[in-house]
Amino acid sequence: MAWTKYQLFLAGLMLTTGSINTLSAKWADMFSARGCHSDPEHAFSHPFVQAVGMFLGEFCCLAVFYILLCYDRRSPEPRMNQGQSFNPLLFLPPALCDMTATSIMYVALNMTSASSFQMLRGAVIIFTGLLSVAFLGRRLERSQWLGIMITILGLVVVGLADFFSGHKDDSRKITDIITGDLLIIMAQIIAAVQMVLEEKFVYKHDVHPLRAVGTEGLFGFFILSLLLIPMYFIYVGNFSDNPRHVLEDALDAFCQIGHRPLILLALLGNTVSIAFFNFAGISVTKEISATTRMVLDSLRTLVIWVVSLALGWEQFHGLQVLGFIVLLLGTALYNGLHRPLLARVPCCAGLLGAEDGGPAEQERLLGDGRVQAGDDG
């Protein structure tokens, strides 16, 4: 069945805003500006300030939820399911995981390329699968285990591509790239813990997705904003690129924005895009399918890579192409995207139904997933 104009709009919105989210964050990292007082011009390296902006975008989803709810209640036949009442503190543990993972990923984005950043985030399915077996009692199918193995292979290929690309620069660059890649993978472990916590304690309360994202954004925004105060005094040496070498210098970030207003545009692009990305992702699941949402989420990696090449932010490396294809294959197998193709083969249709519980069950499992920020947090 052909897509309607509204469905095409939602798919385009998700793909566009998801790509802008990562690209705008990387764009901000590439600026240099003078800081406060007599500080010389230096790179804009403020990952925790960027993470606060991202959570502000997620927080906006809560406002969107109540606007839609208010609009729905005024209609003659209200159709919006606002979900059950729940204790908002249920979202605190997942929000803390989200806050930690997002902050680590923004630190890593300063060290590696935007395309590698997006590709390596595919590691989340490895840890989500393993943790779901250990703590949720879920039984992974053979195709999912195969998807995990292929994803590990894809991560190795992308890591090798980064290593050889950094080899053309100085040893400091190679160290930064390897550290950045490892931080991204470490963040995916925390993101997987977040998903398991959400599934075990949150999803059973039938909370509307926009409300769930917005509530986690509320916690993340206020907690991380408060943490910026002690971060201003924590000395970390050369690990930080700001002039005072502290964990985060929010005042320096604001001074740099004052000297280079385009930095604010990049930060706003990150904040606004994550809000629309979450809304579009939820809407695509509702209006089209969860499978389409997974495909679009994978395609934005390609868009980010192509745009980065076009802008001259990174160089073309054949290993990255191979790594992307391998990661895409692993993600597709894990999420059951091979099922519609094999279902058309008569000899495989019965085997698929017996092994994986049928297309309806696989679609339900896909529908449980949330778009990650940048995302993607």
Side-chain angles (χ1 to χ4, degrees), residues 89-148:
L89 291 177
L90 280 173
F91 286 93
L92 182 56
L96 292 175
C97 291
D98 194 7
M99 182 183 71
T100 306
T102 300
S103 299
I104 292 174
M105 283 191 285
Y106 278 127
V107 170
L109 187 57
N110 270 291
M111 301 178 176
T112 190
S113 65
S115 60
S116 294
F117 169 83
Q118 196 64 39
M119 290 180 192
L120 291 172
R121 292 181 66 183
V124 71
I125 68 171
I126 300 171
F127 306 111
T128 303
L130 296 177
L131 290 176
S132 66
V133 170
F135 297 102
L136 300 178
R138 179 168 294 168
R139 184 178 64 87
L140 297 184
E141 308 299 339
R142 284 172 292 180
S143 59
Q144 290 178 308
W145 284 115
L146 180 60
I148 288 175

Side-chain angles (χ1 to χ4, degrees), residues 268-347:
L268 285 175
N270 187 38
T271 300
V272 174
S273 63
I274 193 64
F276 279 99
F277 178 54
N278 278 288
F279 170 76
I282 292 165
S283 299
V284 164
T285 300
K286 178 182 177 182
E287 299 291 337
I288 309 175
S289 71
T291 303
T292 302
R293 178 175 174 177
M294 299 299 300
V295 171
L296 291 172
D297 200 36
S298 298
L299 283 178
R300 74 186 179 114
T301 303
L302 179 62
V303 172
I304 290 167
W305 181 57
V306 170
V307 172
S308 297
L309 288 174
L311 294 175
W313 290 359
E314 53 187 273
Q315 296 178 344
F316 177 84
H317 298 284
L319 272 178
Q320 265 200 329
V321 181
L322 177 61
F324 172 70
I325 294 173
V326 174
L327 284 172
L328 192 62
L329 177 61
T331 303
L333 282 172
Y334 184 85
N335 289 305
L337 303 187
H338 62 291
R339 294 181 56 86
L341 296 176
L342 294 183
R344 297 180 181 181
V345 182
C347 63

Side-chain angles (χ1 to χ4, degrees), residues 20-39:
I20 289 174
N21 182 249
T22 298
L23 291 169
S24 60
K26 187 61 180 178
W27 186 34
D29 292 340
M30 299 178 72
F31 279 104
S32 292
R34 290 189 297 111
C36 301
H37 309 299
S38 58
D39 292 337

Side-chain angles (χ1 to χ4, degrees), residues 193-268:
V193 173
Q194 174 195 347
M195 292 181 183
V196 170
L197 287 173
E198 287 173 342
E199 184 163 347
K200 190 171 183 67
F201 300 109
V202 176
Y203 288 158
K204 62 182 180 182
H205 292 278
D206 188 28
V207 182
H208 191 280
L210 278 176
R211 193 177 186 184
V213 173
T215 304
E216 287 189 11
L218 170 67
F219 282 119
F221 175 73
F222 283 105
I223 293 174
L224 193 54
S225 295
L226 291 174
L227 288 177
L228 289 179
I229 299 173
M231 287 180 185
Y232 184 80
F233 301 99
I234 300 174
Y235 181 79
V236 293
N238 291 330
F239 182 78
S240 175
D241 291 332
N242 59 65
R244 296 177 56 247
H245 297 292
V246 292
L247 190 57
E248 181 59 282
D249 191 340
L251 293 181
D252 181 66
F254 293 134
C255 288
Q256 287 189 290
I257 291 170
H259 290 123
R260 290 294 299 273
L262 273 178
I263 299 176
L264 179 61
L265 180 62
L267 297 179
L268 285 175

